[in-house]
Amino acid sequence: MGERVVIALGGNAILQPGQEATYEIQLENVRKSAEVIARIINNGHTVVVTHGNGPQVGNILRQNEEAKHVVPAMPLDVCSAESQGFIGYMMEQSLRNELLKLNNQAPVAVTLTQTEVSADDPDFQDPSKPIGVFYSEEEANKLAEEKGWIVKEDAGRGYRRVVASPEPKSILGSKVIQQLSEAGTIIVAGGGGGVPVVKQADGTYKGIEAVIDKDRSGFKLAEEIKADTFMILTDVENVYVNYGKPDQKALTEISLEEAQGYVDEGQFSAGSMGPKMEAAMNFARTGGRAIICSLDKADLAMEGKSGTHIVG
Ligand SMILES: Nc1ncnc2c1ncn2[C@@H]1O[C@H](COP(=O)(O)OP(=O)(O)O)[C@@H](O)[C@H]1O
Ligand SMILES: NC(=O)OP(=O)(O)O
């Protein structure tokens, strides 16, 4: 039977480290992702796609800062909204085109989503979210000094600028996303984690400068719209124990208890697999099906034939 599945697309699905961030390269990456997602839809599932924006929002922020003497610079929450629009445009068009190739007429829509966070979140004091391009340690330190950036090492892949990444508390408008999804519409939502907003004393919302982790917001979205499955797509086929060591072992199906044991052993790096495992385990705790798998084999993973499955 068809399931309602939230798919969180990793940064690699839009731009791989080292690739030039041209429109053409990003569109082709998105098209390839859409090809796999279209197969899942064509197998009878209703998909809500959510995606990262780290490279894109970093580049948009930089464009704003470099051109601020010509055009006023926009704050980071507005850059986040711009990145959602940009990636949502590529994703909607690519999904529709790939579905058409399969003679599938499923309706596709993008919702520009806001995500509530707390202004008191500790990440505002010690930012952790890498955005934009990668630098050598030397280049990164020079930029930090010149521009007042905070830079950190990103999961062994180089140095990047970091910004605050508060924990998502709720997805604004998730009811509408749920209704559309229950009616069979394919939705792109919560892109880049959603635009971060805070609730004010009078109940109104306003933007706050941060970038939310899309695996954490993807879990919130999957929970709030009561999805059957939450699937995190990345560039490795499985989650591994002793990852990168000669005795690394692929995990195929693990219980929450087993997963917690590996978390306690420190098996999952903070800047990469850690947040994915945290999000997948949180969803499994709600009784749903949680999968971490490679983008290329997402359709197989959906049928239980690939990836790491965490069961509650
Ligand atoms: N235990 C582990 N098992 C599998 N991959 C791991 C593990 N620990 C760290 N990783 C790394 O996590 C990466 C995926 O995280 P990340 O690059 O942040 O994903 P994405 O950009 O796709 O969201 C993999 O490419 C791998 O190098
Ligand atoms: N917002 C976010 O998590 O982006 P990346 O996945 O690109 O880091």
Side-chain angles (χ1 to χ4, degrees):
M1 207 190 73
E3 292 181 32
R4 284 194 308 118
V5 51
V6 171
I7 295 184
L9 274 179
N12 282 304
I14 309 167
L15 190 69
Q16 284 126 45
Q19 282 189 319
E20 199 187 354
T22 64
Y23 172 62
E24 290 74 18
I25 287 175
Q26 297 187 77
L27 181 62
E28 177 53 17
N29 289 338
V30 169
R31 190 203 61 74
K32 285 186 193 146
S33 310
E35 198 177 343
V36 184
I37 294 170
R39 287 207 292 270
I40 294 175
I41 297 164
N42 212 42
N43 286 340
H45 304 294
T46 305
V47 174
V48 176
V49 182
T50 193
H51 57 79
N53 71 341
Q56 296 76 18
V57 76
N59 287 347
I60 293 169
L61 183 65
R62 184 94 199 258
Q63 283 170 337
N64 272 269
E65 289 170 348
E66 294 296 324
K68 70 180 177 205
H69 303 299
V70 189
V71 182
M74 295 294 129
L76 182 53
D77 50 310
V78 177
C79 296
S80 171
E82 287 182 26
S83 73
Q84 255 195 78
F86 160 41
I87 301 168
Y89 160 55
M90 294 191 291
M91 191 64 72
E92 180 181 345
Q93 188 177 71
S94 301
L95 276 171
R96 193 170 285 128
N97 288 345
E98 294 304 319
L99 283 166
L100 272 176
K101 290 181 194 167
L102 301 172
N103 280 326
N104 188 312
Q105 308 289 330
V108 185
V110 181
T111 66
L112 203 149
T113 314
Q114 297 172 47
T115 301
E116 189 188 341
V117 301
S118 167
D120 301 329
D121 192 287
D123 220 78
F124 284 105
Q125 305 311 319
D126 185 15
S128 66
K129 183 75 194 161
I131 60 167
V133 298
F134 290 82
Y135 302 101
S136 68
E137 186 175 6
E138 198 187 349
E139 284 170 324
N141 287 336
K142 193 162 170 271
L143 283 162
E145 204 173 294
E146 277 172 20
K147 298 181 185 293
W149 294 357
I150 302 173
V151 294
K152 286 186 181 164
E153 219 241 321
D154 180 5
R157 299 176 289 195
Y159 284 73
R160 290 171 92 185
R161 182 178 187 179
V162 292
V163 296
S165 191
E167 189 190 335
K169 289 170 67 180
S170 73
I171 310 292
L172 271 61
S174 61
K175 257 277 145 303
V176 177
I177 299 168
Q178 182 179 345
Q179 283 162 1
L180 285 168
S181 156
E182 282 172 348
T185 303
I186 309 307
I187 311 284
V188 181
V195 180
V197 295
V198 291
K199 201 176 203 166
Q200 305 181 97
D202 64 359
T204 60
Y205 293 94
K206 70 165 187 185
I208 188 161
E209 294 202 85
V211 174
I212 298 168
D213 179 87
K214 55 98 189 23
D215 296 316
R216 295 169 100 191
S217 59
F219 153 63
K220 269 277 146 221
L221 182 63
E223 182 188 40
E224 290 187 17
I225 71 163
K226 301 182 173 55
D228 303 298
T229 299
F230 177 41
M231 194 179 221
I232 299 178
L233 306 190
T234 183
D235 59 347
V236 283
E237 202 170 320
N238 290 89
V239 181
Y240 296 85
V241 284
N242 300 330
Y243 178 67
K245 297 186 185 145
D247 62 341
Q248 75 173 19
K249 187 181 95 185
L251 300 171
T252 50
E253 186 174 303
I254 51 167
S255 67
L256 268 169
E257 291 70 31
E258 206 183 334
Q260 188 58 52
Y262 293 136
V263 170
D264 295 343
E265 283 175 18
Q267 291 281 354
F268 315 120
S269 319
S272 54
M273 194 48 76
K276 295 184 199 309
M277 277 304 282
E278 177 198 305
M281 287 167 68
N282 280 339
F283 189 70
R285 262 182 216 110
T286 70
R289 192 158 81 108
I291 307 170
I292 300 175
C293 63
S294 73
L295 169 65
D296 309 349
K297 300 201 171 156
D299 49 341
L300 287 176
M302 192 63 201
E303 311 310 322
K305 294 176 185 153
S306 181
T308 297
H309 298 243
I310 299 146
V311 288

